[in-house]
Amino acid sequence: MSDGQKHIFLTVRELVQWSPGPGQSLPGFPLHWRGIWGHQTQTRIHQLRPEWQNEFPVEADIKVGPVIFTISGKIDLLWDNDDEVFIEEIKTVILTRSAFNRMQIEAYPHFVEQLLIYGYLYHISKPDKLIRLRLTIVNLINQQERPFELTFNTREIKNLILSRLKLKINELTFKRNRTRSKIRLAKKIVFDPETDRPFQREMIDTIAGGLEGSQAVLISAPTGSGKTIAALFPVIRFALENNKRIFFATAKNTQHDAVAHNLQLLLGTDFPLTTLFLRAREKMCANTIYFCHVDYCPYINDFYSRLKNCGVTERLLRSYSIFPEEVYRSSADQRLCPAEVQWNLARQADLIVGDYNYIFDPIVSLQSLLSAKPAAEWILIIDEAHNLYARALQLLSPSLEGNELDILEDIVLSKTARVYRRLSTSIKKIRQIIHQMYADAAAFTPNQQAVLAEPDNQLWLEAFQDFEQSYLNYLLHRIRYRQIPEDDPIMEFYHRFRVYIQILQFENPAFTPFLSAGKGGSLTIQCCDPSEFLRERHRSFHSVIAMSATLDPMNYYARILGFDMNDTRFLRLSYPFQTARRKIVLVPEFDTRLDQRHQYYPKYAEIIKNVVSLKTGNYIVFFPSFEFLQATNLYLGTLELHKLFQRPMMEEAERNEILRSLREKNPPKILLAVTGGIFSEGIDLPGESCIGVIIFGPSLPVVSPDRELIRRYYDQKGGDGFMYAYIYPGMTRVIQAAGRLIRSEQDYGILVLVGDRLADDRFAGLFPEYWGDLTITRDYQSPLIEFWREFRT
C-alpha cells in the first residue's frame, strides 16, 4: 500500500489467521494429492446435495478509515431458501478413527473463521435473511463426516473482520516503514576494499551493475581472495534498498561458517538483517521417528497455537543470525517441531543460507517459499558454483533398481492386508516393464555394463499412477492401524519413482535412459546436460551471482550451468597475493592412471617423504581415490609428522577435530585426503596450518556407463566429449584442492603436482592463469630447496 493507494483486494483465505490443525500435514504425502482428495470429497458431498449451489462467489467492500477493502471468496455449498440461507464449508483431515472422534472444532480456528467470514459477506448482500452455518469435516482415512453448527452473530463477526483488516493495515504500514528503514540501513553498511584488497572493488562494481540490470554475474576469483564478503556487500545493500531477499546457496554445510564469519565482519552482531542457516528437515526432527502426524509426534500436536504463545520465534529473530543448533534446542525445549519452527523463520528471514538442494532439487526445494511472491523478490548467490554441475547431474539422474524392488516385494509379501496386495501388484507391473525393456534391448555381452533403453513414456506414467494410488492407500492404512516404521523403503521408493517419472516426461536428448546389469538390474535416466533445467531455475530470481575459484574456462561453465551468454556479466580476478610467497612444481615422471598405479606406489611415497622433509610444518596430500591413498600409505611407513586420515563417510565431528588439529602448529602433521572430498574445498587453513599441498592428479572420474553417456552426448553435440565427461571435472578437483594453500597475504607455501598427464596440453591448459609460472621438472627437490632458502632470507 503506497501513500496514494487506498484500495486493497483480499481473498477470504488471506484474511483468515491460518494455523493448520491436527491431521492436515503428513510426510511423504504428495501435496497435489492432498488437494485432489480434498476436491474429490467436496464433489462427492456436492452430489449428495443437488439442490445446493456449489462454489458460490461472494464479494463485498468494507471501509476502514480511508482504506476500502474488497474481500472475495467462494462458498463450498449454499442453499437459499426464501427467508433463510444455509452455508456449508467442507474441510478434510487425515486422522485415526479415535482421534477423529475426539476431535474438537477449537483445534481448527481457521476453518471456523473462514466460514464465519463467508456468512458475513453473504449477509452484506442480503441482510434480511437468516444465516445458518455448518462446518463439515471429513476424515480422508475412511470418509467419516462430523458436522459442526456455528452460531452466526453479525456484530461479533463484523468486529472480527474489522480487527483483521486493521491488522492488515498495520502489517502493510509496517512493511512500508520497514522498507524505508531498510533503505536507510543500507547506507550504514561500510566496506572499503581499497584498504585491504583493491581487486575486490572490481568484483563489487560488476555485481552492482548486474543487480541494477537484473542480470546474472559469473565470477572466477582465486581462493582466499575474499569473494564471499565482496559478493555479500553489494547484494545486501541492493536487497535492502529494493526490498529484495537473498538466498545464499552452498554445496556443503561446511561453507556456512565462512558465510557467518563474513557477515559478522561486514555487519557486526547488532545489524538488523535476519539471516537463517538451514538444515535438512530430517536432521531437524526431534521425535524418535520421522513421521509428521499428531498421533505419532508430540512436537507438532497443536503446533501453531503453542508456537504463538511460547515466544520462541520472537526470541530467535532477535539474534539476527539464526543457526540450526539454536533453532533445534529452543524448539525442542518447548516441545515444538524444530523443522516447522525453521520453516516459519524462513518466511521472515532477509537472507537464507542453505544447500543447493533447496533451489535445484526438482522435488525437495523451497519453491513454495520462493514463488509465494513475485520471483523478482529474490536474489540468488551460488557459492563454489563449479559444484553445481555435478550436483545437478546427481539430482536429475534417477534410477529404479532391481535390488530395491526385491526389498519392496519381500515387505509386501510378508503382510496380509489388502493394501499390501495392491502394492504387490503395482510393483510387479514395474518389474514386468523393466524385464520387457531388457528383452527389447540389445543383449548384454560379458564385458558390457549397460545398454541404451527406449522407455514407453505412457506405459511408465500409467505404472506410476497405479503405484501412487497404492502408495496413498498404504499411507492411510499406516495411520489407521498405527503402523509407523522408523525407515520406510516404500516411501523412499515412491519419491525416487516420482522424480524418475517427472524427468522421463522431459523428452529431451540431454536425458538418456539406459539399462544396467548392476544392482539387480536397473533403469537409469542419465542427465548429460542440466543447463536447460538450471536456466529455468535462474530465471525465477531477480539476479543470480555465481562465483568460484574454479570457473575456467568461463564459457564452458556458463554453458553447462545454464547462463545466457548475452545476459551475463563475466569477471575473472587475478591472483591477489605475492607470487614470491608460493612455489608450484609439477613432477611429470610418474603415471597415475588407474591401471598403472600399482607399480609406482613406492615412488609416490618417496615423493611425499622427500617433500615434507625439506621444511617442518603441516602438509596435505590429495589422492584421486581412497584406494590410492591407502596403497600409498603402506609405503610411507613411519614419518616424523603425525599422520591424519580422511575416511569414507566421515562424521562432521571427526572432520572438525582434524581441522582443529591442523590449526595447531605442534606437533607437525600430514593429512592424507582425497580430491573432491570434504577437505579439498570450503575450508580455511591460514598461516602455518598448511605450508604445503601435494596433489596426485589429474583425478579423473572413473570410467562408467553414466560418464560414457555424457561423453557420447557432447561428442554428438560437436564438442570434445572426453573433455566434458572426464578432463574438466578431474581438473576442477585438482584446482580446488590446490586452493587450500595460501589464504591470506601473510601465508606462504609450496604446491607439488604429480602425474605425467598434468604436463599434457589438454590438462595443463586448464591451469588457472593466476597460478602464473610453474616449474616442470623431475628434479622437484632443487626448486623447492631454493624456494625455502630464499623465503627464509
Side-chain angles (χ1 to χ4, degrees):
M1 180 180 66
S2 66
D3 291 333
Q5 182 181 352
K6 303 298 183 184
H7 197 161
I8 299 174
F9 295 84
L10 292 174
T11 64
V12 172
R13 188 178 179 88
E14 289 173 319
L15 199 57
V16 169
Q17 288 189 344
W18 201 256
S19 56
Q24 291 188 261
S25 64
L26 191 66
F29 201 101
L31 289 179
H32 68 285
W33 271 106
R34 186 70 174 81
I36 290 172
W37 278 8
H39 180 71
Q40 289 175 347
T41 298
Q42 289 180 343
T43 301
R44 178 180 61 80
I45 295 177
H46 291 170
Q47 292 171 349
L48 296 175
R49 298 160 174 61
E51 71 279 12
W52 293 53
Q53 299 181 67
N54 62 73
E55 298 293 320
F56 185 86
V58 287
E59 182 177 287
D61 290 340
I62 299 177
K63 191 173 183 181
V64 181
V67 182
I68 297 175
F69 287 91
T70 297
I71 306 170
S72 61
K74 289 185 178 180
I75 296 171
D76 281 345
L77 287 165
L78 182 142
W79 183 30
D80 195 334
N81 183 23
D82 296 331
D83 296 333
E84 60 184 1
V85 63
F86 294 85
I87 295 176
E88 184 175 19
E89 191 70 11
I90 314 297
K91 297 297 182 184
T92 59
V93 295
I94 303 174
L95 293 170
T96 60
R97 189 188 303 270
S98 59
F100 187 72
N101 291 334
R102 297 192 309 269
M103 178 187 67
Q104 300 295 318
I105 193 63
E106 289 75 17
Y108 304 91
H110 49 296
F111 289 169
V112 174
E113 287 184 8
Q114 190 172 358
L115 180 52
L116 291 175
I117 295 172
Y118 280 145
Y120 186 78
L121 295 181
Y122 190 86
H123 167 75
I124 290 176
S125 62
K126 297 188 178 181
D128 297 331
K129 295 220 174 187
L130 176 64
I131 304 290
R132 296 196 175 185
L133 305 176
R134 179 167 62 201
L135 175 63
T136 299
I137 299 183
V138 183
N139 191 4
L140 292 177
I141 289 285
N142 52 15
Q143 291 297 308
Q144 182 182 351
E145 300 177 16
R146 286 192 63 187
F148 297 88
E149 304 293 331
L150 303 185
T151 302
F152 184 78
N153 184 304
T154 307
R155 182 182 298 276
E156 290 181 359
I157 302 173
K158 180 179 180 180
N159 289 337
L160 169 67
I161 294 173
L162 289 175
S163 67
R164 292 295 164 75
L165 294 178
K166 289 175 182 176
L167 281 176
K168 286 294 179 183
I169 293 174
N170 291 338
E171 288 174 9
L172 292 168
T173 303
F174 173 79
K175 289 179 180 179
R176 182 181 60 187
N177 293 337
R178 190 166 185 261
T179 299
R180 292 171 176 172
S181 175
K182 284 182 176 181
I183 294 173
R184 293 192 296 270
L185 281 171
K187 295 179 171 56
K188 295 182 179 180
I189 305 176
V190 178
F191 176 64
D192 185 6
E194 303 298 335
T195 62
D196 187 10
R197 298 174 182 176
F199 50 85
Q200 289 178 321
R201 170 54 60 192
E202 188 176 3
M203 181 174 171
I204 291 169
D205 291 343
T206 301
I207 292 175
L211 292 168
E212 288 294 338
S214 191
Q215 295 174 298
V217 182
L218 205 59
I219 300 170
S220 179
T223 302
S225 59
K227 56 183 175 292
T228 301
I229 196 169
L232 286 170
F233 173 62
V235 170
I236 290 175
R237 287 199 62 168
F238 184 88
L240 290 172
E241 291 171 345
N242 295 275
N243 199 28
K244 307 293 182 186
R245 301 172 70 189
I246 307 163
F247 194 101
F248 194 109
T250 64
K252 300 173 183 176
N253 286 344
T254 54
Q255 295 166 250
H256 291 191
D257 290 343
V259 179
H261 174 69
N262 281 281
L263 283 171
Q264 185 169 4
L265 290 176
L266 184 62
L267 305 177
T269 57
D270 298 324
F271 193 90
L273 182 90
T274 302
T275 302
L276 176 67
F277 294 83
L278 288 180
R279 180 177 288 172
R281 186 178 182 89
E282 295 89 335
K283 294 183 179 179
M284 293 294 283
C285 180
N287 199 21
T288 53
I289 59 172
Y290 177 59
F291 195 78
C292 305
H293 193 276
V294 291
D295 288 333
Y296 307 97
C297 179
Y299 293 88
I300 63 169
N301 191 14
D302 197 23
F303 174 83
Y304 282 94
S305 63
R306 293 191 296 115
L307 177 68
K308 188 186 302 182
N309 296 325
C310 72
V312 164
T313 303
E314 292 74 13
R315 287 196 298 274
L316 288 169
L317 288 171
R318 282 198 292 268
S319 66
Y320 297 129
S321 289
I322 308 172
F323 296 94
E325 297 81 6
E326 182 57 32
V327 175
Y328 185 95
R329 184 167 48 252
S330 299
S331 304
D333 286 347
Q334 297 290 331
R335 302 290 285 175
L336 289 168
C337 171
E340 281 297 314
V341 171
Q342 179 179 249
W343 176 244
N344 276 271
L345 291 167
R347 294 171 181 161
Q348 303 178 63
D350 300 302
L351 192 161
I352 297 176
V353 183
D355 190 84
Y356 288 170
N357 288 15
Y358 291 108
I359 304 298
F360 299 106
D361 191 310
I363 298 296
V364 183
S365 70
L366 284 182
Q367 290 307 304
S368 59
L369 174 66
L370 300 175
S371 61
K373 294 183 179 180
E377 180 191 11
W378 290 87
I379 300 167
L380 175 63
I381 301 175
I382 307 174
D383 198 18
E384 303 293 356
H386 64 278
N387 284 310
L388 180 55
Y389 175 68
R391 178 69 68 85
L393 292 182
Q394 174 190 346
L395 293 172
L396 300 173
S397 300
S399 292
L400 302 179
E401 299 174 3
N403 290 345
E404 189 174 23
L405 291 172
D406 292 340
I407 294 172
L408 298 187
E409 286 188 327
D410 289 342
I411 292 173
V412 300
L413 290 175
S414 67
K415 308 290 185 180
T416 58
R418 185 192 310 172
V419 68
Y420 291 98
R421 292 199 297 272
R422 181 168 180 180
L423 271 173
S424 177
T425 301
S426 299
I427 293 168
K428 287 177 181 176
K429 284 184 181 179
I430 298 168
R431 191 183 288 281
Q432 287 170 359
I433 297 174
I434 295 178
H435 284 170
Q436 186 60 49
M437 290 179 66
Y438 272 99
D440 294 340
F444 279 93
T445 63
N447 297 322
Q448 193 173 15
Q449 292 180 292
V451 294
L452 296 179
E454 296 183 2
D456 183 325
N457 287 15
Q458 184 60 36
L459 187 64
W460 272 110
L461 182 59
E462 292 171 0
F464 172 73
Q465 291 170 342
D466 181 74
F467 181 81
E468 186 173 50
Q469 286 289 341
S470 304
Y471 167 74
L472 294 172
N473 291 331
Y474 160 74
L475 279 183
L476 298 180
H477 174 85
R478 290 201 320 172
I479 297 170
R480 183 184 303 161
Y481 295 103
R482 305 183 68 86
Q483 298 174 354
I484 309 299
E486 289 193 23
D487 297 306
D488 189 350
I490 296 174
M491 181 184 292
E492 293 173 3
F493 176 79
Y494 167 74
H495 288 300
R496 277 194 287 275
F497 196 6
R498 184 178 167 194
V499 175
Y500 172 84
I501 292 298
Q502 179 178 346
I503 292 174
L504 184 64
Q505 304 307 309
F506 287 175
E507 296 186 345
N508 186 316
F511 295 85
T512 306
F514 72 93
L515 293 161
S516 172
K519 299 179 181 179
S522 64
L523 174 60
T524 299
I525 301 177
Q526 177 59 46
C527 175
C528 301
D529 179 6
S531 59
E532 287 189 26
F533 176 86
L534 295 176
R535 185 175 297 112
E536 288 304 310
R537 281 287 195 262
H538 298 334
R539 286 172 178 167
S540 66
F541 293 88
H542 171 85
S543 290
V544 178
I545 316 299
M547 57 188 185
S548 173
T550 318
L551 288 180
D552 288 306
M554 294 190 81
N555 58 348
Y556 158 74
Y557 277 101
R559 187 219 172 285
I560 65 171
L561 297 182
F563 288 98
D564 186 341
M565 297 291 290
N566 297 319
D567 198 33
T568 300
R569 296 187 176 216
F570 297 89
L571 177 64
R572 182 186 290 107
L573 293 178
S574 59
Y575 189 64
F577 309 124
Q578 296 180 27
T579 55
R581 301 181 71 87
R582 179 196 63 191
K583 183 65 178 178
I584 304 177
V585 175
L586 194 162
V587 186
E589 184 177 357
F590 305 110
D591 195 339
T592 60
R593 290 174 177 84
L594 183 62
D595 60 348
Q596 298 296 320
R597 294 171 185 170
H598 63 280
Q599 60 183 310
Y600 292 109
Y601 287 129
K603 295 291 186 181
Y604 302 150
E606 181 182 345
I607 291 174
I608 295 171
K609 289 188 282 189
N610 288 340
V611 170
V612 302
S613 69
L614 299 179
K615 182 174 176 61
T616 301
N618 291 343
Y619 292 83
I620 305 180
V621 185
F622 289 104
F623 301 89
S625 68
F626 284 104
E627 292 77 13
F628 197 141
L629 183 159
Q630 293 159 359
T632 304
N633 180 54
L634 293 176
Y635 294 95
L636 275 178
T638 303
L639 297 174
E640 293 184 7
L641 304 178
H642 174 60
K643 285 184 186 178
L644 303 171
F645 297 93
Q646 177 184 347
R647 297 184 302 99
M649 306 300 292
M650 181 173 277
E651 295 290 336
E652 186 174 349
E654 188 177 357
R655 169 191 171 276
N656 291 339
E657 178 58 27
I658 288 177
L659 292 177
R660 185 201 61 77
S661 181
L662 284 172
R663 287 166 183 148
E664 295 178 355
K665 183 176 180 180
N666 292 311
K669 307 159 196 75
I670 183 170
L671 169 62
L672 307 184
V674 294
T675 47
I678 56 177
F679 293 104
S680 66
E681 59 180 273
I683 61 171
D684 279 329
L685 295 170
E688 297 188 354
S689 300
C690 177
I691 66 166
V693 170
I694 304 170
I695 302 174
F696 291 89
S699 299
L700 302 188
V702 175
V703 175
S704 61
D706 55 329
R707 283 284 147 189
E708 286 299 291
L709 285 174
I710 294 173
R711 176 179 180 170
R712 171 178 169 270
Y713 171 82
Y714 283 105
D715 279 341
Q716 292 177 344
K717 294 278 286 187
D720 187 338
F722 188 76
M723 291 288 291
Y724 278 87
Y726 296 99
I727 295 181
Y728 284 135
M731 291 304 294
T732 295
R733 296 174 184 174
V734 169
I735 296 165
Q736 277 296 313
R740 297 319 97 203
L741 186 74
I742 311 292
R743 307 291 296 187
S744 72
E745 292 83 352
Q746 290 74 40
D747 293 357
Y748 59 90
I750 60 168
L751 171 61
V752 179
L753 306 169
V754 183
D756 61 337
R757 284 177 294 175
L758 291 175
D760 184 287
D761 286 345
R762 287 196 301 172
F763 295 86
L766 297 178
F767 291 150
E769 291 183 11
Y770 61 77
W771 275 13
D773 295 334
L774 74 161
T775 303
I776 304 177
T777 177
R778 295 183 177 185
D779 179 21
Y780 57 90
Q781 293 186 76
S782 295
L784 296 178
I785 292 171
E786 182 181 354
F787 170 78
W788 287 128
R789 183 186 301 117
E790 291 180 357
F791 191 79
R792 289 191 188 100
T793 59

